[in-house]
């Protein structure tokens, strides 16, 4: 099991149970207690958990801090609907940018039916999942933000600047109709802008919970994208 995957499993267990002992985590994940303690130390340093005597509790997080592994489990049905709609816009041979959002990650299974795709992402988790499906992909590298498992920074932006993409699929915390698309992470916004700048067609994926919400940093205006793909039932 990869270290990142084990951290994800710990957070998923805590999301369900709120607290757990080190010994129980050790048994559930089939690793030693010293390994679990090191994992919990890392998660505590990231502000996600609070250590207790012999165990750990989940720290209450703001929306901006919710880890990717938890966000992936939110609004699952809506995200699958959105991903299926988005997949209809893809053709064989496309070069595609995928951001590191949980919503966009639901596109991955739908990409298997296409031939000769090239996918570029700033998410190491997305890159691994694409590789498991034998989908050719490149991962930007850069500074890793652990809460979102996203690479950001000048190295990641430089990587993207050398690629011309046919399609860019991205998501964010919120948008306003006829207004702007925004997010809470300045570094992730800068990365999304780099992908947007080098893409021919731009698609924003969002469920209904993000409508009419504004966050600190603007990615772009709604008028700059080709289409909003949401979870509304098509008539």
């Amino acid at each position: 099991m990869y270290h990142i995957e084990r951290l994800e499993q710990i957070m998923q267990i805590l999301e369900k149970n709120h607290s757990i002992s080190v010994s129980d985590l050790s048994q559930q994940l089939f690793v030693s207690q010293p390994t679990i303690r090191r994992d919990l130390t890392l998660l505590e340093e990231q502000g996600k958990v609070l250590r207790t005597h012999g165990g750990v509790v989940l720290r209450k997080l703001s929306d901006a801090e919710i880890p990717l592994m938890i966000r992936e489990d939110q609004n699952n049905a809506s995200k699958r609907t959105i991903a299926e709609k988005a997949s209809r816009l893809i053709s064989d041979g496309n070069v595609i940018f995928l951001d590191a959002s949980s919503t966009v990650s639901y596109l991955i299974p739908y990409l298997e039916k296409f031939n000769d795709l090239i996918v570029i992402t700033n998410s190491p988790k997305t890159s691994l999942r694409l590789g498991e499906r034998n989908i050719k992909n490149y991962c930007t590298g850069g500074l890793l933000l652990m809460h979102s498992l996203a690479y950001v920074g000048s190295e990641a932006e430089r990587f993207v600047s050398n690629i011309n993409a046919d399609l860019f699929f991205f998501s964010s915390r919120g948008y306003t109709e006829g207004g702007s698309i925004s997010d809470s992470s300045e570094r992730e916004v800068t990365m999304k802008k780099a992908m947007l700048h080098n893409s021919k067609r731009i698609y924003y994926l969002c469920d209904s919970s993000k409508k009419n919400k504004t966050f600190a940093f603007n990615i772009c205006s709604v008028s700059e994208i080709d289409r909003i793909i949401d979870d509304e039932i098509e008539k």
Side-chain angles (χ1 to χ4, degrees):
M1 181 188 299
Y2 291 107
H3 183 223
I4 288 176
E5 292 176 340
R6 192 170 63 247
L7 294 178
E8 290 179 2
Q9 289 195 17
I10 291 172
M11 291 301 296
Q12 288 169 355
I13 290 168
L14 284 171
E15 179 67 12
K16 294 177 181 178
N17 302 301
H18 189 69
S19 64
I20 193 170
S21 69
V22 170
S23 61
D24 284 346
L25 276 174
S26 175
Q27 291 174 13
Q28 289 189 39
L29 300 180
F30 303 103
V31 294
S32 68
Q33 291 190 27
T35 296
I36 291 295
R37 290 192 185 95
R38 287 193 292 271
D39 289 343
L40 295 181
T41 296
L42 177 59
L43 290 171
E44 186 172 44
E45 290 172 351
Q46 295 170 2
K48 298 172 184 176
V49 304
L50 295 174
R51 298 289 302 277
T52 62
H53 181 67
V56 62
V57 298
L58 183 68
R59 186 172 78 84
K60 187 175 181 180
L61 304 174
S62 67
D63 285 345
E65 298 174 303
I66 297 174
L68 176 68
M69 66 284 285
I70 295 175
R71 286 187 278 117
E72 281 182 329
D73 290 333
Q74 296 175 334
N75 302 324
N76 292 12
S78 293
K79 290 174 181 177
R80 281 191 290 271
T81 297
I82 292 166
E84 193 279 326
K85 287 184 181 181
S87 70
R88 302 174 199 169
L89 302 168
I90 299 170
S91 301
D92 290 344
N94 279 163
V95 178
I96 303 171
F97 282 143
L98 299 182
D99 77 353
S101 65
S102 61
T103 302
V104 169
S105 71
Y106 276 70
L107 250 180
I108 296 170
Y110 294 96
L111 300 181
E112 288 185 287
K113 63 184 178 182
F114 297 100
N115 297 315
D116 302 319
L117 293 182
I118 299 176
V119 180
I120 300 89
T121 181
N122 65 318
S123 165
K125 187 170 183 178
T126 294
S127 181
L128 283 171
R129 290 177 173 175
L130 290 166
E132 289 171 352
R133 292 171 167 80
N134 295 314
I135 298 169
K136 184 177 182 179
N137 76 93
Y138 296 86
C139 195
T140 63
L143 173 66
L144 181 64
L145 300 180
M146 281 302 297
H147 78 278
S148 58
L149 293 181
Y151 285 122
V152 297
S154 59
E155 291 299 321
E157 292 164 31
R158 189 176 297 113
F159 188 99
V160 164
S161 71
N162 290 316
I163 297 170
N164 297 311
D166 298 299
L167 312 172
F168 174 34
F169 295 102
F170 76 108
S171 190
S172 75
R173 299 289 186 187
Y175 78 102
T176 56
E177 288 187 283
S180 62
I181 298 170
S182 59
D183 211 313
S184 56
S185 170
E186 183 178 13
R187 288 180 289 188
E188 288 188 73
V189 163
T190 302
M191 190 65 200
K192 293 175 199 285
K193 286 182 176 180
M195 289 181 166
L196 187 150
H197 180 74
N198 274 37
S199 301
K200 293 178 184 176
R201 286 174 285 161
I202 303 155
Y203 299 107
Y204 178 58
L205 279 55
C206 64
D207 60 63
S208 55
S209 69
K210 298 177 180 180
K211 191 173 182 179
N212 295 323
K213 290 187 178 180
T214 303
F215 291 82
F217 304 102
N218 286 329
I219 301 168
C220 62
S221 67
V222 171
S223 63
E224 292 178 75
I225 68 171
D226 291 276
R227 181 176 166 186
I228 293 175
I229 304 174
D230 58 27
D231 54 354
E232 292 184 6
I233 298 173
E234 296 180 340
K235 298 180 181 179

